[in-house]
Amino acid sequence: QVQLLESGGGSVQAGESLRLSCTASGLTGRPNFMGWFRQTPRTEREAVAVIFTHSGAGSGTTYYADSVSGRFTISQHNTENTVYLQMNNLSPDDTATYYCAAQLSGAWDNRRGYKYWGQGTQVTVFS
């Protein structure tokens, strides 16, 4: 059974930083993509950042939503199915539940293309 376990959420002041982690277990080999989406009670789940985690050419290629580009950085562990999301200069607009996703079929920012999902971790940013 595939599981994605997220950690690192919390409550911070605007301008501060948080680091999220997501580890995938139960997979045979590495997934092709892993990434982060976020959702609030008023919005649909939207792509934040995704990384090509499969070995070989292109491994480590990253994709970012415009709203987080330059503030957030996604990276991967060299040997484990783990990805990180370093979030700097957080603003109240970043408040959301952040979900880890893995194994993509289709466009990187299409939530319907991901096969596996974590349970989510809450990030709250106070002004």
Side-chain angles (χ1 to χ4, degrees), residues 60-105:
T61 300
T62 56
Y63 305 82
Y64 295 97
D66 290 343
S67 59
V68 306
S69 183
R71 298 187 299 122
F72 291 12
T73 302
I74 188 170
S75 59
Q76 61 177 324
H77 191 284
N78 287 337
T79 58
E80 299 176 359
N81 287 338
T82 297
V83 294
Y84 309 98
L85 184 67
Q86 178 66 42
M87 306 185 293
N88 297 330
N89 193 23
L90 284 161
S91 78
D93 288 342
D94 297 314
T95 295
T97 301
Y98 284 70
Y99 295 90
C100 181
Q103 197 62 22
L104 172 63
S105 177

Side-chain angles (χ1 to χ4, degrees), residues 5-54:
L5 182 61
E6 304 124 327
S7 63
S11 299
V12 296
Q13 296 290 325
E16 294 183 341
S17 299
L18 280 174
R19 188 191 195 210
L20 305 182
S21 299
C22 172
T23 297
S25 60
L27 288 167
T28 301
R30 308 199 78 166
N32 56 0
F33 288 86
M34 291 184 71
W36 295 92
F37 283 67
R38 66 186 181 187
Q39 186 174 15
T40 75
R42 296 176 300 279
T43 64
E44 293 186 348
R45 194 169 297 189
E46 63 176 8
V48 175
V50 169
I51 185 167
F52 181 56
T53 52
H54 205 277

